[in-house]
Amino acid sequence: MTIDPVKLDKLAQVAIKVGLQLAEGQDLVMTAPMTAAPLVRRITEHAYKAGAGLVTTIYSDEEATLARYKHANSASFDKAAGWLYSGMADAFKNNAARLAISGDNPMMLAGQDPEKVTRAMRANSAAYKPALQLITGFDINWNIVSYPTTAWAKLVFPNDSEEEAVSKLADAIFKASRVDQDDPIAAWAEHNANLKKRWTWLNGKSFASLHYTGPGTDLTVGLADGHRWKGGASEAKNGITCNPNIPTEEVFTTPHKLRVDGYVAGTKPLSHNGALIEEMQARFEGGKLVEFKAGKNGDLFNKVLDTDEGGRRLGEVALVPHSSPISASGILFFNTLYDENASCHIAQGQCYSDCFVGGKDLTQEQISAQGGNTSNIHIDWMIGSDKIDINGVHADGTTEPVMRGGEWAN
Amino acid sequence: MTIDPVKLDKLAQVAIKVGLQLAEGQDLVMTAPMTAAPLVRRITEHAYKAGAGLVTTIYSDEEATLARYKHANSASFDKAAGWLYSGMADAFKNNAARLAISGDNPMMLAGQDPEKVTRAMRANSAAYKPALQLITGFDINWNIVSYPTTAWAKLVFPNDSEEEAVSKLADAIFKASRVDQDDPIAAWAEHNANLKKRWTWLNGKSFASLHYTGPGTDLTVGLADGHRWKGGASEAKNGITCNPNIPTEEVFTTPHKLRVDGYVAGTKPLSHNGALIEEMQARFEGGKLVEFKAGKNGDLFNKVLDTDEGGRRLGEVALVPHSSPISASGILFFNTLYDENASCHIAQGQCYSDCFVGGKDLTQEQISAQGGNTSNIHIDWMIGSDKIDINGVHADGTTEPVMRGGEWAN
Ligand SMILES: [Zn+2]
Ligand SMILES: [Zn+2]
Ligand SMILES: [Zn+2]
Ligand SMILES: [Zn+2]
């Protein structure tokens, strides 16, 4: 058995009971690659056991996606399933919970025409936006969890047999998701309490900005007016406390879209739609990423940044200690859900409205006025390492240490 | 190889080029059981080769369905994915074509609580109605085609090994779908011409009713005012000529919902949501099925007939010669798409608005005034055999033979 069935079942339980805290009678909309069907079935069972109304899974299929790139007319690549995403948005408006299973082959689109990839992604992002805003705005409880598909495992462990690779990736997922522990639900309660201690401290400080220094980095990230730090469990507008990311190690908030200045170096490769962007270097002026270079695939990333007006501004700033378990594993997962949790990071694009004090009641206009960025993209990239120091800067210019050598300073 | 890959590819081509006649740039919404993925992938490829815009497949999973029956609260069974069906209706309003792959285990729900099955089906039918009306009303080109899943094959050929059973069912599907022929597309053109000859003759006669006699049967089926016979290829409102059913052997029209009288005996078992209804006997008065008995599962079918006001009235009457290839195969498929094409049949419930002269422009009210029935169900049941005679009855009471001993009389 390459994937331990007992731990897989525990992962499904964690997704329903910790990730979603699915409520009695609540519907669930799930998305997954077809190759993740074994986890979908475990989750479906635990959802119904928890009293779910109706569980609906929308499967994607890598082979169908590749058939499109191979055979479709050019005009196809400006299309998206808007009808499906509008339907999902309707489901969320009716309080359906949302669970995404990640596990797609990160290199699925490697070798495809980058122009078609970019157009397809742009069309998809625009069509998905109404549904995504209900998710990122925490109108409902939501969760992302991973399944060790063969294609993904072979990318992470290229020198192992398929069976070995899947087994290793499964173990890494189970460990990061805390389902290797006797009582995963208790372990998550403890972890959430630790994260809460960190964001409570940061919220109490109410820093005006963070100042990063390290190799290739001297960056000031202004924080949005009325920003709020979050991490771990999060209360959605429907009153349910969910853990949107399984795993998660970060505390994060909203930067000010006009107040980011200086230069910063990426510390890990970024896997984006099948391409690996490496040795990233960026310069910000007045919040905007005005200059971007990379050792590999810099042109591609520059195009992604130009998706829309907000693509070159930040929507998230997140702190993760260098000693966090995912970082300690030393594995490059080629999957943002994992790799962002191995390192301090920033994200280009859309902000989380919930990272504002009273964010649930703010209009889009108010969020924008307080510095919250809007975009069809949200792409995290890693800037943390054991060589990064971060100071919190108060409105009066005084500073105090937040992180030293990639670890919490206190 | 249990399923001939060349014939499977031909079946996919027939689905796209004959079944749908998919237009350049047209989107496609497909539904399929997960076990039919090999055919979905062939169809997806041929759709894109034909210039499809975007192909979106919604998969169903028997295991997820069974998990619901096993673990869900009672309240779950009044729910349906209305958001998904509304989305599909939106896609059809934007001219997406619709392809359904049939192949689910016909006995999937056997052994489940019949009350839950009926409630779930009722909720689903009500939620699906807006989308179904766009399909049955031929707003867009649509098609149903079959894939020989293992569960279905083992039901049809219980004494064979899985591999043997799938191979036999695949061959039966390929033969009935005419993909065993050198040029399936030419074969379908010829078949459509033959069906057209029949419905042209019937439309010329404009019978007031059909009178069926045979063992246990003396039934008069009044035809709707302004009814129109159809069969084979059909022009949708979007201007595309499609073949909605692959295979199809029937010519059919709309009965008058108030003018069906007499008694009739079923000639084949009916497989409905996992139950087999056998030895059916029905009596009609003024269009309504007032008395229904069956050797097996009569109570269940009586409940289905009571789904709504229109469940006990007819929405379709169809003529299929006893010598048609599917009948000649002697196989009971437990699948309406096949079994209805082995025999003359009638359908309880919803009528096809396209089976009226000028039906595309008629309102629901006009259709109803001309005798067209409305319901959330459409269930075909078989009343043909080699012992059935059918006369056409003119408005003045004169008659002429339509079928003798189950074959066309001329
Ligand atoms: Zn983050
Ligand atoms: Zn992020
Ligand atoms: Zn029929
Ligand atoms: Zn029918």
Side-chain angles (χ1 to χ4, degrees):
Chain A
M1 210 63 183
T2 45
I3 300 177
D4 182 333
V6 174
K7 285 181 187 152
L8 189 68
D9 193 70
K10 278 189 178 179
L11 183 59
Q13 284 192 52
V14 162
I16 292 298
K17 292 181 187 165
V18 176
L20 292 180
Q21 294 226 29
L22 194 73
E24 169 120 15
Q26 198 179 18
D27 289 343
L28 171 58
V29 176
M30 188 155 33
T31 56
M34 281 180 77
T35 43
L39 180 57
V40 170
R41 289 168 178 166
R42 300 282 78 224
I43 290 175
T44 301
E45 180 179 321
H46 284 291
Y48 283 125
K49 281 182 177 172
L54 187 68
V55 180
T56 307
T57 302
I58 307 296
Y59 280 104
S60 57
D61 179 21
E62 179 170 342
E63 288 200 35
T65 304
L66 292 177
R68 184 184 181 199
Y69 280 92
K70 192 162 180 192
H71 300 292
N73 287 348
S74 172
S76 169
F77 297 92
D78 297 318
K79 292 208 157 192
W83 64 269
L84 181 59
Y85 298 140
S86 302
M88 281 187 191
D90 288 343
F92 302 148
K93 283 175 200 156
N94 283 314
N95 199 37
R98 193 259 189 280
L99 200 152
I101 297 181
S102 105
D104 270 318
N105 177 358
M107 288 297 154
M108 177 165 66
L109 299 179
Q112 302 303 329
D113 178 351
E115 193 243 339
K116 286 181 182 170
V117 173
T118 305
R119 281 166 56 205
M121 193 204 69
R122 223 174 266 190
N124 207 65
S125 297
Y128 190 47
K129 194 172 184 179
L132 185 63
Q133 282 181 332
L134 296 171
I135 298 168
T136 56
F138 279 89
D139 280 58
I140 39 93
N141 43 330
W142 60 277
N143 173 242
I144 309 180
V145 69
S146 289
Y147 181 79
T149 65
T150 306
W152 179 22
K154 277 296 289 178
L155 185 71
V156 179
F157 302 104
N159 300 322
D160 291 299
S161 70
E162 282 193 359
E163 196 163 331
E164 259 312 286
V166 168
S167 178
K168 281 188 183 175
L169 182 56
D171 285 346
I173 287 173
F174 293 150
K175 186 166 186 179
S177 307
R178 294 177 161 73
V179 298
D180 61 334
Q181 302 188 29
D182 285 341
D183 187 346
I185 292 169
W188 272 97
E190 189 190 330
H191 181 48
N192 277 328
N194 287 338
L195 291 169
K196 185 175 183 179
K197 197 184 86 182
R198 294 296 172 192
W199 56 252
T200 302
W201 181 81
L202 284 160
N203 283 334
K205 293 295 177 185
S206 195
F207 291 121
S209 64
L210 297 180
H211 182 220
Y212 295 67
T213 49
T217 293
D218 185 346
L219 182 72
T220 298
V221 177
L223 302 181
D225 300 333
H227 71 271
R228 180 170 72 135
W229 289 90
K230 295 185 54 176
S234 202
E235 192 186 341
K237 290 179 192 169
N238 65 4
I240 297 172
T241 298
C242 61
N243 255 85
N245 290 354
I246 301 281
T248 187
E249 300 289 340
E250 62 177 341
V251 293
F252 59 102
T253 193
T254 302
H256 196 292
K257 64 179 175 179
L258 304 176
R259 298 180 195 153
V260 183
D261 290 278
Y263 52 91
V264 58
T267 51
K268 287 176 185 274
L270 170 65
S271 162
H272 182 73
N273 283 335
L276 216 54
I277 303 140
E278 297 183 68
E279 295 161 43
M280 303 165 76
Q281 289 185 302
R283 194 166 62 79
F284 286 87
E285 255 181 41
K288 190 171 178 184
L289 198 170
V290 291
E291 203 177 330
F292 182 84
K293 284 186 286 194
K296 212 177 131 191
N297 283 319
D299 288 356
L300 186 148
F301 199 66
N302 265 306
K303 269 186 206 148
V304 173
L305 293 174
D306 288 332
T307 295
D308 55 27
E309 196 55 33
R312 286 187 177 269
R313 296 181 186 274
L314 294 188
E316 178 191 345
V317 56
L319 302 176
V320 180
H322 184 69
S323 63
S324 81
I326 295 170
S327 178
S329 79
I331 300 170
L332 178 62
F333 285 88
F334 301 91
N335 179 320
T336 301
L337 179 60
Y338 281 77
D339 292 326
E340 76 158 344
N341 279 303
S343 174
C344 290
H345 56 273
I346 49 182
Q348 304 299 136
Q350 180 65 39
C351 77
Y352 292 103
S353 59
D354 207 36
C355 284
F356 287 90
V357 176
K360 285 169 182 133
D361 304 317
L362 294 179
T363 64
Q364 281 297 328
E365 291 65 31
Q366 289 170 314
I367 286 169
S368 180
Q370 290 181 224
N373 191 33
T374 306
S375 170
N376 285 329
I377 66 172
H378 176 101
I379 301 174
D380 303 277
W381 59 289
M382 286 14 105
I383 62 171
S385 78
D386 59 354
K387 293 180 186 66
I388 292 288
D389 294 335
I390 305 175
N391 280 343
V393 185
H394 290 283
D396 64 5
T398 58
T399 69
E400 58 186 300
V402 174
M403 286 191 142
R404 284 295 176 264
E407 302 299 329
W408 292 109
N410 43 32
Chain B
M1 210 63 184
T2 46
I3 299 177
D4 182 333
V6 175
K7 285 180 187 154
L8 188 69
D9 194 70
K10 278 188 177 181
L11 183 61
Q13 284 192 53
V14 162
I16 292 298
K17 292 180 186 165
V18 176
L20 291 179
Q21 295 226 29
L22 194 73
E24 169 120 13
Q26 196 177 20
D27 289 343
L28 172 58
V29 176
M30 188 152 35
T31 55
M34 282 181 79
T35 44
L39 180 57
V40 169
R41 288 168 178 167
R42 300 282 78 225
I43 289 175
T44 301
E45 180 178 322
H46 284 291
Y48 283 124
K49 282 183 177 171
L54 187 68
V55 180
T56 307
T57 301
I58 307 295
Y59 280 105
S60 56
D61 179 21
E62 179 169 342
E63 288 199 35
T65 303
L66 292 178
R68 183 185 182 200
Y69 280 92
K70 193 161 177 193
H71 299 293
N73 286 349
S74 172
S76 169
F77 297 92
D78 297 318
K79 292 209 159 191
W83 64 270
L84 180 60
Y85 297 140
S86 304
M88 282 189 191
D90 287 344
F92 302 149
K93 283 174 201 157
N94 283 315
N95 199 37
R98 192 259 190 282
L99 200 152
I101 296 181
S102 105
D104 271 317
N105 178 358
M107 289 296 154
M108 177 166 66
L109 298 180
Q112 301 305 329
D113 179 351
E115 192 244 338
K116 286 181 182 170
V117 173
T118 305
R119 280 165 57 203
M121 193 204 70
R122 223 174 266 190
N124 206 65
S125 297
Y128 190 46
K129 195 172 183 178
L132 184 63
Q133 282 181 333
L134 297 170
I135 299 168
T136 57
F138 279 90
D139 279 58
I140 40 93
N141 44 331
W142 60 277
N143 173 242
I144 308 180
V145 68
S146 289
Y147 182 79
T149 63
T150 306
W152 179 21
K154 278 295 288 178
L155 184 70
V156 179
F157 302 104
N159 300 321
D160 291 299
S161 70
E162 281 192 2
E163 196 163 330
E164 261 308 289
V166 168
S167 179
K168 281 187 184 177
L169 182 57
D171 285 346
I173 288 172
F174 293 150
K175 188 167 185 176
S177 307
R178 294 176 161 76
V179 298
D180 61 335
Q181 303 188 28
D182 285 341
D183 186 345
I185 291 167
W188 272 97
E190 189 192 330
H191 181 50
N192 277 327
N194 287 337
L195 292 170
K196 185 175 183 179
K197 199 184 86 181
R198 295 296 172 191
W199 55 253
T200 303
W201 181 79
L202 285 160
N203 282 333
K205 292 297 176 183
S206 195
F207 292 121
S209 63
L210 297 180
H211 181 220
Y212 295 67
T213 48
T217 294
D218 185 346
L219 182 73
T220 297
V221 177
L223 302 181
D225 301 333
H227 71 270
R228 180 170 72 135
W229 289 88
K230 297 185 53 176
S234 202
E235 192 186 341
K237 290 179 191 169
N238 65 3
I240 297 173
T241 297
C242 62
N243 255 85
N245 289 354
I246 301 281
T248 187
E249 300 289 339
E250 61 176 341
V251 294
F252 59 100
T253 193
T254 302
H256 196 293
K257 64 178 175 178
L258 304 176
R259 299 181 194 152
V260 183
D261 290 277
Y263 52 92
V264 58
T267 51
K268 288 178 185 272
L270 170 64
S271 161
H272 182 73
N273 285 335
L276 216 54
I277 301 140
E278 297 184 68
E279 296 160 41
M280 302 166 77
Q281 289 185 302
R283 194 166 61 79
F284 286 87
E285 255 180 41
K288 190 170 177 184
L289 199 170
V290 289
E291 204 177 328
F292 182 83
K293 282 186 287 192
K296 211 179 131 190
N297 282 320
D299 288 355
L300 186 149
F301 199 64
N302 265 307
K303 268 186 206 150
V304 174
L305 293 174
D306 289 331
T307 295
D308 54 27
E309 194 56 33
R312 288 187 175 266
R313 297 182 186 273
L314 295 187
E316 178 192 344
V317 56
L319 301 176
V320 179
H322 185 68
S323 62
S324 81
I326 294 169
S327 176
S329 79
I331 300 170
L332 177 63
F333 286 88
F334 301 91
N335 179 320
T336 300
L337 180 60
Y338 281 76
D339 292 327
E340 74 158 345
N341 279 302
S343 174
C344 291
H345 57 272
I346 48 182
Q348 305 299 137
Q350 180 66 37
C351 76
Y352 291 103
S353 59
D354 207 36
C355 283
F356 287 91
V357 178
K360 285 169 182 134
D361 303 317
L362 294 180
T363 63
Q364 281 298 328
E365 290 67 31
Q366 289 169 315
I367 285 168
S368 179
Q370 291 180 222
N373 191 35
T374 307
S375 171
N376 285 330
I377 66 171
H378 176 102
I379 300 174
D380 302 278
W381 58 288
M382 285 16 104
I383 61 169
S385 77
D386 60 355
K387 293 180 188 66
I388 292 286
D389 294 336
I390 305 176
N391 280 343
V393 184
H394 290 283
D396 63 4
T398 59
T399 69
E400 56 184 300
V402 173
M403 286 191 142
R404 285 295 176 264
E407 301 299 329
W408 293 108
N410 42 34

